């Protein structure tokens, strides 16, 4: 069974993340969207809410699961029997950053864990969780960047 882990903070999940996930679906039997805990990082949305945003967005998709993990991403992959990491690339900045991590993960996993990169569609290349957070904190309208279920959940949370 081909299992991929799509790791990230997803603070919050955006339509850019959704595009990568949907396009990756035909490549794998299962994709585990995995939110890494980082106690040093300040998040806008608490973990439970970030998990809920993803779970609700993909409630119709049996191949997508959502969970959180602590520790090294490759250890989490090994625990659940995943041989692939999935990452999205928006720009050359993303590429330079991701290349090092992917090379490290491959080596440290004894060449077991491959990172599969999908290049985002041009319409999504300007979308990042960081910018969405800034818009939300400034009380702006970030709905155009959010999946419909997340829009609803944020509206009702207000
Ligand atoms: P991290 O905190 O690890 O950067 P993110 O939640 O920001 O995690 O992103 C998770 C993954 O989604 C990364 O591979 C990132 O490049 C990708 N990603 C984020 N935004 C987009 C986008 N607009 N289009 C394509 N991929 C994206």
């Amino acid at each position: 069974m081909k299992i991929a882990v799509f790791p990230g903070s997803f603070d919050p999940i955006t339509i850019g993340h959704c595009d990568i996930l949907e396009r990756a679906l035909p490549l794998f039997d299962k994709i585990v969207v995995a939110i890494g805990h980082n106690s040093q990082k300040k998040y806008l949305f608490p973990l439970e809410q970030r998990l809920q945003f993803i779970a609700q967005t993909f409630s119709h998709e049996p191949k997508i699961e959502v969970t959180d993990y602590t520790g090294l991403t490759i250890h989490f992959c090994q625990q659940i029997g995943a041989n692939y990491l999935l990452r999205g690339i928006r720009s050359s900045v993303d590429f330079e950053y991701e290349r090092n991590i992917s090379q490290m993960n491959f080596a440290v996993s004894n060449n077991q864990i491959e990172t599969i990169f999908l290049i985002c569609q041009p319409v999504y290349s300007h979308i990042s969780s960081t910018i969405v957070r800034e818009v939300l904190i400034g009380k702006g309208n970030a709905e155009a960047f959010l999946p419909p279920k997340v829009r609803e959940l944020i509206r009702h949370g207000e």
Side-chain angles (χ1 to χ4, degrees):
M1 181 137 117
K2 280 195 168 60
I3 305 175
V5 167
F6 187 33
S9 316
F10 303 101
D11 187 26
I13 187 165
T14 68
I15 55 172
H17 295 125
C18 294
D19 175 56
I20 297 295
L21 266 168
E22 275 155 21
R23 288 166 55 206
L25 270 178
L27 306 177
F28 302 104
D29 299 302
K30 183 159 99 179
I31 302 179
V32 179
V33 184
I35 302 186
H37 287 281
N38 182 344
S39 52
Q40 310 294 313
K41 253 188 174 175
K42 277 266 173 208
Y43 299 105
L44 179 62
F45 295 99
L47 175 66
E48 288 310 320
Q49 209 169 358
R50 284 179 280 145
L51 289 167
Q52 189 198 18
F53 287 163
I54 302 167
Q56 296 262 324
T57 298
F58 292 102
S59 57
H60 60 284
E61 184 42 74
K63 283 165 79 176
I64 297 182
E65 289 179 12
V66 191
T67 190
D68 60 297
Y69 68 99
T70 47
L72 286 184
T73 306
I74 55 160
H75 288 164
F76 174 69
C77 291
Q78 285 160 348
Q79 273 166 29
I80 65 163
N83 287 313
Y84 303 94
L85 279 165
L86 172 65
R87 296 287 286 178
I89 300 273
R90 284 163 293 189
S91 64
S92 54
V93 177
D94 276 357
F95 173 75
E96 290 301 332
Y97 173 77
E98 296 289 343
R99 171 172 49 186
N100 292 344
I101 298 178
S102 142
Q103 288 169 336
M104 280 299 290
N105 283 335
F106 189 66
V108 177
S109 67
N110 284 323
N111 303 359
Q112 294 300 300
I113 298 182
E114 289 282 8
T115 307
I116 307 298
F117 294 106
L118 291 184
I119 308 281
C120 85
Q121 296 191 61
V123 285
Y124 300 119
S125 61
H126 62 295
I127 300 176
S128 70
S129 296
T130 308
I131 289 175
V132 168
R133 283 196 302 277
E134 279 176 21
V135 172
L136 291 173
I137 290 166
K139 306 275 180 230
N141 185 344
E143 294 204 341
F145 312 120
L146 298 171
K149 281 274 156 53
V150 178
R151 280 181 218 160
E152 279 171 35
L153 287 166
I154 291 181
R155 263 188 225 148
H156 294 145
E158 274 176 354

